[in-house]
């Protein structure tokens, strides 16, 4: 049975829906001259566009730098564990977001699930790096290892940002910041995480491709 | 919810959000107008530092190795015995370029004008993300602190050129400035990119998503079009340089080989593994060329705005102007290779970059044609902003024409390492942007501060800057044709350089000092006007765009309880049948029974404002 907002039984209940909506007093997103999407969503997409260029620049630098040379080492198995974890993360956030849209407060549990999976991903990354180091593959060893470390560390920094965004959602729940604000925070966080997860898939594909 | 309640709530809410303390009102402010002024003043201070640097190295070039002890006051290190030392020269040109391109021009055009104008010209109360906007300024401020601090490092600031090409920038022992100074340069640039990204997200989102009722895209002033297109360029080009900066830091400190091949320097083997210095050039210029348009597009927008107002005529070919801005922005992403014609690239690849480069002349020429069309038979008011806007056209055409020379790889290869290139990019990118900025400052100063700048001193500033700048860069073109190489700190011992070059170098330096003196006039005018200037009316230029309908200076929230409503495009000057020679965007359009002519319905009062905000809609 779906537990709705109208029947708060547990500790983390959401505050009632405030009158109106939108971004705040300065927002005119109801206006016919605005885009179909709210500012926060548009801004998020635009920001992700910027991050796309960052990863595209690093990826193209990798392709140019190796000049057709094949990957000089085998990807550790933990890379696949990381991949599964991030796919699970995206699924958890899809469920969380849908729950928020339905005003089903079980979304909090899904956010924590996402947080746990994100942490697990970082741990599996640490294992991956230590496995590579154990094989004598360091950031200076060859261009493949250099770019592997750079791309995964830059990606890892974005995973940390995602964990911060999840904590911010939790903060809004605790503070009872209002449904619209919470919905916005969860929406932005989910969109961001899907992007981070997609970038991870891209990185893995890139290294699989250079090993062919 | 009915309107009166919404109205009351908006008013209460606006009052609630009004910052009360000194810190939240003037320091950590989230108000776009305060942030605009913070950006503008910080950028002008940085620009002043960059200009003083150019005075010192210009004195060295005019009077090589001459003993000038007084310069030690400006530069305690690298000026032993009153003569500028070689490392000091390279440090100065590097920091001059870096500061001028990023910390002055980019910052003031997008951070300064973007912040002030976008919400006011589209009819919004503030930016879409005010907190992010505040962070943007403070990251910029931090980047300014870091780059300025690098000047005081014992080994000196970065000296590998504003392009920071490796291996010079990657090897710590390459020059004195390749040590900590280069690290600080990279960190400052990375911080600047973060600041610029946060600002740009705001500019684009606000302009596209927070427009007042009736403000369709095709009713937005060209200033807004120019700034948001530049912001888009920043969003999609700066990350490439950020990636390059990260990789270069790793090359410098972790011993990676992204940009460094195996080298032998001074008999010492630098053991690296096949890195490519050209990879940095690609990453740098993928940002570097759009960066030129990040500077020029907002300046073009400002120029269009001021020209139409000063000529009392609608801008000629508005839609084509918008199309040209977008076309230039798109093309700017596929021309970066023209900076690398001498890198030994495949001639066919060079040929492709020649073609894309020359194509970009088409929308640029269209814009120039339209500016001239706007001036044609106009009732021109030669105010200070108008003079600077006309000056922009002059320098843009001059610099653009030499761009046609350099866009051809066959001509670029012999000219590339001469003063010709220095002259070209200074005129088309530096001077044009500066003229656009001055046009904008003189034009919007009354709205920003509520005071008028002195017109007479403004004109003196213009003429000294205009003639002096041509004195610098016209001459520099000749030196380039004569083969004067770039980057030489002293040249009097080379036989292939005739003595006449020395005379021309002196002409350039004297002209540069005159231009510098003119900027002191501007600074005084700016400060005195702000402190003691004549009170500005709400609409001193009798302009049509929305910002002139706001109070002067605009209050927090810009519009009071009622947002303006837009009924027409932004360039209704000299409309037939209108009682005044300008019709603000808030004045409704009335269709005559014949359906052929639009006529002005509302009266425009003597102060250039419509009679109240009766046409507005509630927030």
């Amino acid at each position: 049975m779906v537990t709705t907002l109208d029947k708060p039984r547990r500790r983390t209940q959401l505050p009632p829906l405030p009158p109106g909506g939108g971004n705040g007093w300065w927002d005119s997103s109801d206006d016919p001259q605005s885009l179909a999407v709210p500012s926060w969503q548009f801004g998020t997409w635009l920001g992700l566009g910027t991050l796309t260029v960052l990863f595209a620049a690093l990826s193209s630098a990798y392709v140019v730098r190796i000049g057709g040379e094949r990957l000089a080492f085998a990807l550790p198995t933990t890379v696949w564990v990381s991949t599964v974890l991030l796919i699970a993360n995206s699924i958890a956030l899809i469920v969380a977001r849908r729950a928020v849209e339905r005003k089903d407060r079980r979304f909090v549990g899904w956010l924590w699930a996402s947080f746990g999976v994100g942490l697990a991903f970082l741990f599996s990354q640490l294992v991956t790096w230590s496995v590579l180091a154990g094989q004598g593959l360091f950031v200076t060893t060859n261009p493949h290892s250099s770019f592997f470390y750079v791309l995964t560390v830059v990606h890892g920094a974005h995973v940390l940002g995602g964990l911060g965004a999840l904590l911010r959602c939790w903060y809004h729940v605790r503070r009872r910041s209002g449904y619209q604000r919470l919905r916005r925070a969860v929406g932005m966080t989910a969109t961001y995480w899907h992007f981070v997860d997609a970038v991870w898939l891209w990185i893995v594909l890139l290294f699989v491709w250079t090993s062919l | 919810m009915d309107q009166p309640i919404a109205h009351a709530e908006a008013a209460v809410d606006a009052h609630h959000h009004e910052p009360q303390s000194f810190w939240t009102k003037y320091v950590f402010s989230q108000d776009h107008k305060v942030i605009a002024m913070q950006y503008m003043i910080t950028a002008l201070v940085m620009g002043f530092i960059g200009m003083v640097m150019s005075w010192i190295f210009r004195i060295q070039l005019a009077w090589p190795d001459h003993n000038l002890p007084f310069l030690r006051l400006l530069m305690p290190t690298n000026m032993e015995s009153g003569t500028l030392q070689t490392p000091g020269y390279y440090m100065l040109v590097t920091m001059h370029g870096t500061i001028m391109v990023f910390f002055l021009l980019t910052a003031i055009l997008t951070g300064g004008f973007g912040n002030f104008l976008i919400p006011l010209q589209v009819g919004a109360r503030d930016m879409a993300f005010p907190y992010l906007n505040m962070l943007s300024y403070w990251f910029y401020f931090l980047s300014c602190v870091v780059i300025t601090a690098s000047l005081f490092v014992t080994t000196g600031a970065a000296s590998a050129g504003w392009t920071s090409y490796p291996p010079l920038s990657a090897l710590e022992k390459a020059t004195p400035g390749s040590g900590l100074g280069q690290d600080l340069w990279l960190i400052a640039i990375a911080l600047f990119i973060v600041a610029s990204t946060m600002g740009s997200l705001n500019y684009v989102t606000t302009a596209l998503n927070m427009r007042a009722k009736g403000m369709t895209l095709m009713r937005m002033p060209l200033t807004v079009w120019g700034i948001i297109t530049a912001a888009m360029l920043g969003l999609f080009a700066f990350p490439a340089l950020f990636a390059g900066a990260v990789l270069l830091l790793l090359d410098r400190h972790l011993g990676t080989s992204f940009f460094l091949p195996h080298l032998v320097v001074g008999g010492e083997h630098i053991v690296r593994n096949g890195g490519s210095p050209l990879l940095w050039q690609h990453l740098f210029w993928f940002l570097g060329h759009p960066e030129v348009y990040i500077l020029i597009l907002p300046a073009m927008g400002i120029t269009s705005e001021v020209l139409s107002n000063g000529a009392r005529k609608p801008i000629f070919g508005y839609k084509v102007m918008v199309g040209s801005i977008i076309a230039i922005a798109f093309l700017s992403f596929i021309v970066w290779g023209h900076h690398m014609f001498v890198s030994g690239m495949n001639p066919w690849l060079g040929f492709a970059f020649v073609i894309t480069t020359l194509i970009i002349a088409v929308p640029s020429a269209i814009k120039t044609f339209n500016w001239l069309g706007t001036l044609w038979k106009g009732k021109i008011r030669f105010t200070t902003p108008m003079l600077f806007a006309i000056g922009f056209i002059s320098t843009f055409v001059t610099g653009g024409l030499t761009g046609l020379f350099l866009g051809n790889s066959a001509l670029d290869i012999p000219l590339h390492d001469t003063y010709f290139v220095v002259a070209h990019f200074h005129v088309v990118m530096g001077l044009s942007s500066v003229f656009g900025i001055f046009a904008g400052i003189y034009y919007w100063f009354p709205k920003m501060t509520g005071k008028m700048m002195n017109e007479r001193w403004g004109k003196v500033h213009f003429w000294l800057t205009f003639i002096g700048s041509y004195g610098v860069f016209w001459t520099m073109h000749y030196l380039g044709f004569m083969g004067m190489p770039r980057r030489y700190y002293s040249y009097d011992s080379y036989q292939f350089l005739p003595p006449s070059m020395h005379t021309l170098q002196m002409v350039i330096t004297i002209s540069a000092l005159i231009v510098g003196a003119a900027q002191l006039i501007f600074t005084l005018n700016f400060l005195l006007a702000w402190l003691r200037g004549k009170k500005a009316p709400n609409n001193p230029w009798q302009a049509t765009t929305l910002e002139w309908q706001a109070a002067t200076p605009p209050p927090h929230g810009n519009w009071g309880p009622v947002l303006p409503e837009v009924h027409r495009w932004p360039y209704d000057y000299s409309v037939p049948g209108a009682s005044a020679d300008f019709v603000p965007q808030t004045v409704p359009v009335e269709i005559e029974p014949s359906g052929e002519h639009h006529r002005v319905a509302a009266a425009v009062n003597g102060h250039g404002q419509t009679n109240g905000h009766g046409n507005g809609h509630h927030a």
Side-chain angles (χ1 to χ4, degrees):
Chain A
M1 191 185 83
V2 173
T3 311
T4 67
L5 289 175
D6 302 329
K7 298 174 185 172
R9 286 176 196 158
R10 295 187 198 166
R11 194 161 55 86
T12 51
Q13 56 182 273
L14 289 178
L17 192 67
N23 248 349
W25 67 280
W26 62 84
D27 190 21
S28 58
S29 60
D30 296 337
D31 192 87
Q33 300 311 326
S34 299
L35 302 173
V37 293
S39 294
W40 63 266
Q41 204 165 40
F42 183 74
T44 306
W45 281 105
L46 213 52
L48 296 184
T50 303
L51 293 180
T52 304
V53 181
L54 174 66
F55 284 101
L58 288 170
S59 305
S60 57
Y62 172 49
V63 173
V64 169
R65 175 68 182 82
I66 60 171
E69 184 188 304
R70 284 187 62 200
L71 185 63
F73 56 89
L75 290 175
T77 320
T78 43
V79 166
W80 305 108
V81 176
S82 299
T83 308
V84 171
L85 285 170
L86 283 193
I87 292 172
N89 176 277
S90 262
I91 293 169
L93 281 164
I94 289 170
V95 178
R97 194 171 186 177
R98 285 185 182 168
V100 170
E101 294 298 326
R102 286 198 311 272
K103 296 172 190 158
D104 173 357
R105 65 181 174 70
R106 284 181 299 187
F107 78 92
V108 180
W110 287 106
L111 289 181
W112 279 117
S114 164
F115 190 85
V117 172
L119 275 182
F121 170 82
L122 284 182
F123 180 73
S124 78
Q125 282 301 95
L126 285 175
V127 175
T128 301
W129 293 327
S130 63
V131 167
L132 286 176
Q135 293 172 4
L137 290 162
F138 298 98
V139 71
T140 55
T141 308
N142 60 49
H144 293 284
S145 66
S146 299
F147 273 100
F148 185 82
Y149 280 105
V150 168
L151 279 164
T152 52
V153 168
V154 173
H155 176 265
H158 287 83
V159 169
L160 277 177
L163 293 177
L166 284 167
L167 289 177
R168 190 167 156 269
C169 293
W170 180 72
Y171 169 81
H172 283 309
V173 173
R174 295 287 299 172
R175 281 283 302 265
R176 305 186 177 190
S177 309
Y179 176 68
Q180 291 296 346
R181 183 168 285 192
L182 186 63
R183 185 170 163 259
R184 197 167 73 218
V186 173
M188 284 168 83
T189 305
T191 307
Y192 175 79
W193 266 105
H194 293 327
F195 170 80
V196 171
D197 299 346
V199 167
W200 174 255
L201 291 179
W202 163 252
I203 292 171
V204 172
L205 277 175
L206 189 65
F207 282 94
V208 168
W209 176 62
T210 56
S211 64
L212 293 177
Chain B
M1 191 189 299
D2 61 11
Q3 289 287 31
I5 294 173
H7 176 168
E9 278 193 356
V12 169
D13 223 1
H15 175 72
H16 179 72
H17 282 78
E18 174 92 42
Q20 301 298 324
S21 77
F22 172 82
W23 289 99
T24 53
K25 204 169 181 177
Y26 298 110
V27 183
F28 297 107
S29 171
Q30 296 184 36
D31 188 312
H32 72 103
K33 300 175 292 293
V34 178
I35 296 171
M37 291 307 280
Q38 289 175 323
Y39 253 114
M40 209 164 263
I41 289 166
T42 313
L44 286 173
V45 170
M46 293 305 289
F48 188 78
I49 295 171
M51 185 176 68
V52 172
M53 288 174 169
S54 72
W55 294 347
I56 302 175
F57 67 70
R58 276 310 324 170
I59 288 173
Q60 158 66 21
L61 288 168
W63 297 280
D65 303 328
H66 200 80
N67 195 319
L68 297 166
F70 66 93
L71 284 180
R72 293 191 67 181
L73 294 172
L74 291 173
M75 218 171 127
T77 58
N78 283 303
M79 285 293 292
E80 285 78 9
S81 71
T83 304
L84 183 63
Q85 309 297 304
T86 321
Y89 176 85
Y90 290 115
M91 183 189 88
L92 287 176
V93 288
T94 298
M95 297 303 280
H96 168 77
T98 304
I99 287 175
M100 290 307 202
V101 170
F102 295 111
F103 297 90
L104 167 66
L105 298 176
T106 310
I108 201 170
L109 282 162
T110 50
F113 287 106
N115 257 309
F116 188 77
L117 292 178
I118 289 174
L120 280 168
Q121 289 201 328
V122 303
R125 294 201 180 278
D126 208 306
M127 285 289 179
F129 315 112
Y131 185 77
L132 201 64
N133 204 21
M134 177 186 75
L135 277 184
S136 163
Y137 170 73
W138 286 105
F139 266 82
Y140 165 63
F141 183 79
L142 191 60
S143 70
C144 290
V145 170
V146 173
I147 201 83
T148 310
S150 77
L151 293 168
F152 301 98
V153 171
T154 318
T155 47
S159 53
W162 83 279
T163 52
S164 278
Y165 280 0
L168 205 52
S169 59
L171 295 173
E172 288 205 49
K173 292 177 184 169
T175 69
S178 303
L180 181 59
Q182 188 66 48
D183 285 330
L184 292 175
W185 188 93
L186 288 165
I187 291 166
I189 291 294
L191 287 169
F192 182 85
I193 292 170
V194 173
S196 164
T197 302
M198 290 193 285
S200 297
L201 283 175
N202 256 313
Y203 313 142
V204 178
T205 307
T206 306
L208 294 185
N209 221 28
M210 295 175 66
R211 282 165 283 141
K213 191 175 178 189
M215 180 61 83
T216 59
L217 288 176
M218 283 295 130
R219 284 178 177 170
M220 285 203 309
L222 287 169
T223 330
V224 177
W225 272 110
I227 294 170
I228 65 166
T229 313
M232 294 285 271
L233 290 183
L235 285 173
F236 298 123
F238 266 123
L241 180 58
F242 190 90
V246 170
L247 299 183
L248 188 52
L249 275 171
L250 295 180
D251 267 6
R252 289 172 55 78
H253 294 293
L254 294 189
T256 51
S257 312
F258 297 112
F259 307 123
L260 280 177
H262 184 104
L263 291 168
V264 181
V265 181
E268 185 189 344
H269 282 263
I270 312 287
V271 182
R272 296 297 169 99
N273 185 15
S276 165
L278 286 185
L279 179 57
W280 167 267
Q281 293 193 22
H282 282 290
L283 289 170
F284 182 88
W285 287 115
F286 187 79
L287 163 271
H289 199 79
E291 172 65 26
V292 172
Y293 294 98
I294 290 172
L295 306 184
I296 208 71
L297 289 175
M300 283 174 166
I302 291 169
T303 300
S304 304
E305 202 76 24
V306 174
L307 276 184
S308 177
N309 175 276
R312 313 309 293 168
K313 274 185 66 189
I315 195 81
F316 188 85
Y318 172 84
K319 285 183 182 170
V320 182
M321 291 294 245
V322 174
S324 299
I325 289 173
I326 294 168
I328 289 172
F330 172 74
L331 288 167
S332 74
F333 278 108
I334 50 173
V335 296
W336 81 90
H338 71 221
H339 296 274
M340 299 166 61
F341 283 147
V342 292
S343 67
M345 67 164 61
N346 184 317
W348 286 108
L349 181 60
F351 176 69
F353 280 120
V354 169
I355 297 294
T356 52
T357 302
L358 295 185
I359 289 175
I360 217 165
V362 176
S364 306
I366 288 172
K367 291 189 78 72
T368 307
F369 178 82
N370 286 357
W371 288 320
L372 297 179
T374 305
L375 288 173
W376 185 253
K377 292 190 175 179
K379 297 173 203 152
I380 300 176
R381 297 175 178 176
F382 287 102
T383 57
T384 306
M386 186 63 172
L387 288 175
F388 275 103
I390 294 170
F392 171 93
I393 300 176
S394 167
T395 52
F396 185 68
V397 170
T398 313
L401 288 175
T402 53
L404 291 175
F405 287 53
L406 296 172
N408 281 290
S409 53
L411 273 171
D412 179 79
I413 289 169
L415 287 172
H416 191 86
D417 283 318
T418 72
Y419 271 30
F420 193 84
V421 169
V422 184
H424 158 72
F425 75 71
H426 270 92
V427 175
V428 77
M429 180 186 79
L431 272 189
S432 299
S433 303
V434 165
F435 276 79
I437 288 165
F438 281 131
I441 291 178
Y442 281 104
Y443 188 71
W444 281 291
F445 186 87
K447 187 54 71 181
M448 289 173 179
T449 63
K451 303 287 180 61
M452 295 298 290
M453 286 180 80
N454 185 297
E455 269 291 290
R456 181 177 298 174
W457 285 112
K459 284 174 182 166
V460 171
H461 172 219
F462 168 76
W463 284 111
L464 285 177
T465 306
F466 186 73
I467 296 169
S469 298
Y470 270 108
V472 174
F473 296 110
W474 193 285
T475 318
M476 213 178 269
H477 283 98
Y478 284 111
L479 280 177
F481 268 139
M482 291 163 76
M484 178 75 208
R486 299 160 74 178
R487 308 185 182 98
Y488 280 28
Y489 109 104
S490 176
Y491 51 88
D492 49 0
S493 56
Y494 299 103
Q495 288 189 344
F496 70 95
L497 300 174
S500 57
M501 282 201 182
H502 185 204
T503 314
L504 291 179
Q505 289 279 21
M506 285 197 287
V507 170
I508 292 175
T509 299
I510 291 165
S511 302
L513 291 173
I514 291 170
V515 173
Q519 307 325 304
L520 297 179
I521 294 173
F522 162 77
T523 308
L524 275 178
N525 192 356
F526 186 94
L527 293 176
L528 287 175
W530 201 351
L531 294 173
R532 300 195 314 217
K534 203 171 70 179
K535 195 171 179 305
N538 262 355
N539 190 358
W541 313 113
Q542 299 180 306
T544 54
T545 41
L546 278 190
E547 74 275 24
W548 303 105
Q549 299 302 312
T552 299
H556 185 68
N558 295 344
W559 311 103
V562 184
L563 284 174
E565 186 173 334
V566 174
H567 297 277
R568 55 182 68 235
W569 78 319
Y571 301 108
D572 260 342
Y573 289 103
S574 304
V575 178
S579 55
D581 74 341
F582 70 106
V583 187
Q585 284 188 280
T586 47
V587 175
V589 176
E590 194 176 75
I591 310 285
E592 288 203 337
S594 67
E596 290 176 357
H597 300 290
H598 288 184
R599 210 176 61 177
V600 180
V604 178
N605 66 28
H607 301 296
Q609 287 199 291
T610 49
N611 295 327
H613 281 308
N615 304 309
H617 69 292
H618 294 291

